[in-house]
Amino acid sequence: MPAGAEALACASVYGVWSTWEDDPFESEEQSRQEIYDCGDAVCSRFVWEARPLDEKTGEPRLDVNHPDESKRARLVSEVNILSKFEPVADDRGCITEIYGGEIYDPRAGDIYGDSWLSYTIELEGDDILRFPNGIAWTRYSD
């Protein structure tokens, strides 16, 4: 690595993040989400789930709680939890925040964020992604 390259390296919201019910230090990991550039926005997709199967059927979980009935037959593993977010760069061009967008909770079928309400999700250091409600995702490392 060239001299000074460490100073140029950026922490970024992009990558794989572990999701938690509440506190990442006091609850079990629920899933891993990859945050990625999805065209003109930032989205996330499942790359791992702690409980991918429906407890009643033993089959992969379906998005049965989605408010749009036409989407209830899709697999939860194929759902974007984050969508329509805009990347926000710091003064070095590092994407350390995402703004606007929608957050989808497949457990309840709730979609948060619309034209009246926007969210800013911020990177704290390189290993915690802080949501507006205080919930944190931690950067996944194997």
Side-chain angles (χ1 to χ4, degrees):
M1 185 177 293
E6 304 87 23
L8 298 176
C10 302
S12 172
V13 300
Y14 296 119
V16 177
W17 296 87
S18 294
T19 70
W20 308 89
E21 180 67 35
D22 293 305
D23 184 340
F25 306 106
E26 296 181 13
S27 62
E28 91 182 47
E29 184 181 27
Q30 291 185 336
S31 70
R32 294 181 193 132
Q33 293 283 318
E34 178 186 17
I35 296 180
Y36 66 101
D37 182 335
C38 58
D40 59 351
V42 175
C43 300
S44 75
R45 62 179 154 230
F46 283 95
V47 293
W48 176 84
E49 290 182 84
R51 291 176 285 287
L53 302 179
D54 183 293
E55 292 177 4
K56 295 177 185 173
T57 67
E59 298 293 322
R61 290 186 309 127
L62 299 177
D63 193 13
V64 297
N65 297 317
H66 200 284
D68 179 345
E69 286 186 35
S70 70
K71 295 182 178 181
R72 292 181 182 170
R74 67 185 180 172
L75 296 173
V76 168
S77 61
E78 297 174 352
V79 171
N80 279 331
I81 299 300
L82 306 178
S83 61
K84 303 178 185 175
F85 277 86
E86 297 178 32
V88 178
D90 65 12
D91 58 353
R92 297 179 302 153
C94 304
I95 306 300
T96 57
E97 296 180 15
I98 54 178
Y99 174 78
E102 294 178 347
I103 301 171
Y104 176 60
D105 178 358
R107 293 171 300 177
D110 293 329
I111 300 171
Y112 304 98
D114 56 30
S115 59
W116 301 104
L117 180 66
S118 294
Y119 292 105
T120 298
I121 300 173
E122 300 178 79
L123 189 62
E124 292 181 0
D126 188 32
D127 59 355
I128 295 178
L129 197 60
R130 184 72 62 189
F131 285 72
N133 60 359
I135 290 178
W137 288 5
T138 58
R139 189 170 303 275
Y140 173 73
S141 64
D142 47 3

